[in-house]
Amino acid sequence: MSKSGLTKKVILIGSNGFFGKNIINFFPKNIFIKKIYRKDNIDNINFKNFNFIINSAADVYDEKKMFKNNTFLVHKVLEKILKENPKMKLIHFGSSGEYGAVEKKSNEKDLILPRTIYEGTKAAATMLVQAYSKQFKIKSIIIRPFSIYGQYENKTRILPNIFRHFLINQKLKMYDGFHDYTYINDLIFFLEKLIKKNLIKNFGEIVNFGSGKQYSNFEILKVCEKIFKKKSKAIKIKKFQKIYDKKIWYADIKILKKKFNHNHKFNIKDGIENYLKIYKKITQIK
């Protein structure tokens, strides 16, 4: 243990993103985090003397930047690991979208069938991580998160829109949709466990991160109505908003539960309630 009492040193790529902000704000203080932001040049970061690297960076909305930020960046990171610190362990965030359109819950052994540029660039990054890890013996894990929600998420997503609808009477259109919703704090607990208990022992292992059940957008609205104790005035549109939405979108979580012994601490109602408390503090909306 160092003089400062720090036992683990982590490089975090994507510090200005949804996952990154939550890692920075909610990780235990005895894990040192080297924060890498979008403006930083990864070439100038020295990987030596770090135990772990977390890649949570991704471009979700700008298709012109997706290859650079979702795929090429991963290649640069893997090359730097090889050159500077091949013993460090990599935690890479993939995407549940890599599975494409499916007719059942998604299993880690399923073929990846991306349908969009985003899904394709994330799938390519997953294959790069697996290939480098297996060829050069880089210990790594690829986490495929499903619909993670919580504090610091993009304000255009479903729950911030529902919150504003109830808090400031913002108009709300609700489209049909089905997702495996999981609270961000459960993901942070899992990351902490991976690092503190040194659970990354394989080369390019994939693990789904979800609840193992799906909710429709309309069911999420009903949960929020119970939390706010009033009916919404949302306009319900019974069709998908995006062409790549699908009726089945939830995770097979046997590996998560059995191999990593992870159980979520928050059910859907408790997670949304906790998120709402933090949302009010961050936005100062009461």
Side-chain angles (χ1 to χ4, degrees), residues 24-188:
I24 291 167
N25 283 284
F26 297 104
F27 247 36
K29 300 302 180 184
N30 65 339
I31 296 178
F32 173 78
I33 299 175
K34 170 70 174 176
K35 306 175 190 72
I36 308 300
Y37 295 93
R38 181 161 292 197
K39 62 180 177 60
D40 296 323
N41 186 343
I42 195 72
D43 293 329
N44 297 330
I45 308 301
N46 193 331
F47 284 14
K48 292 180 180 178
N49 301 318
F50 284 90
N51 309 106
F52 296 86
I53 182 164
I54 300 173
N55 178 36
S56 67
D59 230 301
V60 181
Y61 302 104
D62 190 340
E63 291 184 346
K64 293 181 180 178
K65 296 179 180 178
M66 286 179 183
F67 177 75
K68 177 182 177 183
N69 294 329
N70 298 351
T71 308
F72 184 64
L73 173 63
V74 174
H75 179 259
K76 292 182 74 171
V77 168
L78 289 164
E79 284 289 322
K80 279 182 70 68
I81 290 173
L82 279 180
K83 292 176 182 177
E84 298 177 4
N85 190 359
K87 291 185 178 181
M88 78 187 310
K89 296 179 180 181
L90 169 62
I91 300 171
H92 171 73
F93 281 100
S95 169
S96 61
E98 295 173 41
Y99 291 115
V102 295
E103 301 298 326
K104 61 179 183 63
K105 60 184 176 181
S106 299
N107 180 277
E108 290 89 347
K109 293 182 179 180
D110 291 343
L111 291 174
I112 50 177
L113 299 166
R115 303 156 297 163
T116 66
I117 294 173
Y118 171 73
E119 293 171 357
T121 53
K122 293 296 288 184
T126 290
M127 289 191 286
L128 278 173
V129 172
Q130 287 190 304
Y132 269 78
S133 296
K134 290 173 182 177
Q135 182 172 345
F136 300 108
K137 306 303 178 188
I138 299 170
K139 290 184 179 179
S140 62
I141 188 169
I142 299 151
I143 301 173
R144 280 194 179 139
F146 280 66
S147 293
I148 310 297
Y149 68 89
Q151 53 276 358
Y152 307 116
E153 69 178 333
N154 191 290
K155 65 181 182 180
T156 64
R157 298 186 72 186
I158 182 172
L159 281 165
N161 275 300
I162 292 175
F163 290 168
R164 291 192 298 271
H165 174 67
F166 284 110
L167 293 170
I168 59 174
N169 296 315
Q170 177 180 288
K171 291 182 179 180
L172 177 65
K173 287 184 179 181
M174 287 291 296
Y175 288 84
D176 203 359
F178 299 87
H179 297 274
D180 185 336
Y181 288 100
T182 305
Y183 186 37
I184 184 68
N185 286 30
D186 279 312
L187 177 59
I188 300 304

